[in-house]
């Protein structure tokens, strides 16, 4: 599959993965989709060619992972401006279980009830920064290659990952009712990083983190 746009869809109550851009997946773009109540949100298991772009999707109430990353995925995958949220007890905001490479995350809201991020394999060189990484359970916030970190700052010092990430609660309007837009006092307003050709034309002092730009 190549040069595919999948956008503006609502997918709910699926027993497995909502989308599966697996295999070559050359220039596949998944954007502005709403995914709710699935096992995994989007499966990248594996992307062997790429690039794959995941842009401004909202993945909520997932039972396992927002992004399934496994089977040695190695093609470039760009995860930009997504909001992932689960209220399933003990479920991680983001979980990286199997060897993989080539994934870049920027300006995402990741909210879980286990770890904000758990990577159980050796460090794969993940490029992750300028995201809002939050868990409701408190410390430890991150588990990375078998080591637990109570704060994002400690994770940054040890690994160089997430050094510009935000660890505060996302400040969303009403996620339980499906409103994942940002409140005025959200720490994600104007605190994202510029991504040329992706978030040009933002409102305010800078791009907002997450799927929605507050106007």
């Amino acid at each position: 599959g190549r040069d595919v746009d999948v956008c503006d869809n609502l997918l709910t109550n699926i027993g497995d993965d909502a989308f599966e851009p697996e295999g070559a997946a050359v220039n596949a773009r998944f954007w502005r989709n709403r995914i709710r109540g699935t096992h995994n949100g989007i499966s990248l298991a594996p992307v062997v060619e790429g690039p794959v772009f995941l842009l401004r999707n909202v993945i909520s109430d997932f039972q396992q992972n927002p992004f399934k990353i496994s089977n040695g995925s190695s093609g470039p995958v760009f995860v930009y401006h997504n909001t992932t949220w689960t209220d399933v007890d003990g479920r991680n905001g983001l979980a990286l279980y199997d060897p993989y490479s080539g994934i870049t995350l920027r300006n995402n809201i990741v909210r879980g009830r286990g770890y904000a991020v758990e990577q159980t394999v050796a460090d794969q060189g993940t490029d992750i920064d300028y995201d809002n990484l939050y868990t409701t359970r408190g410390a430890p916030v991150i588990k990375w290659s078998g080591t637990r970190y109570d704060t994002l700052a400690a994770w940054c010092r040890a690994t160089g990952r997430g050094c510009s990430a935000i660890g505060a609660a996302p400040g969303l309007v009403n996620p339980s009712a499906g409103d994942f837009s940002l409140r005025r006092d959200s720490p994600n307003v104007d605190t994202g990083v510029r991504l040329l050709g992706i978030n040009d034309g933002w409102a305010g002092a800078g791009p907002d983190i997450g799927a929605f730009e507050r106007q």
Side-chain angles (χ1 to χ4, degrees), residues 59-131:
I59 305 174
S60 61
D61 298 323
F62 51 88
Q63 302 298 305
Q64 189 66 28
N65 297 300
F67 309 112
K68 179 182 177 183
I69 301 168
S70 64
N71 293 336
S73 187
S74 59
V77 176
F78 301 97
V79 183
Y80 294 155
H81 282 289
N82 300 279
T83 296
T84 73
W85 176 287
T86 187
D87 262 332
V88 177
D89 285 339
R91 184 56 55 205
N92 298 322
L94 181 64
L96 311 167
Y97 292 143
D98 293 331
Y100 65 93
S101 61
I103 294 178
T104 301
L105 297 99
R106 292 288 187 276
N107 296 346
N108 301 286
I109 293 175
V110 173
R111 189 269 202 188
R113 298 192 66 177
Y115 295 103
V117 180
E118 181 181 19
Q119 177 171 278
T120 59
V121 295
D123 198 327
Q124 305 293 301
T126 310
D127 189 352
I128 177 171
D129 207 358
Y130 290 95
D131 302 290

Side-chain angles (χ1 to χ4, degrees), residues 4-17:
V4 174
D5 284 294
V6 181
C7 61
D8 296 313
N9 299 285
L10 170 64
L11 292 90
T12 65
N13 302 319
I14 296 172
D16 197 5
D17 312 324

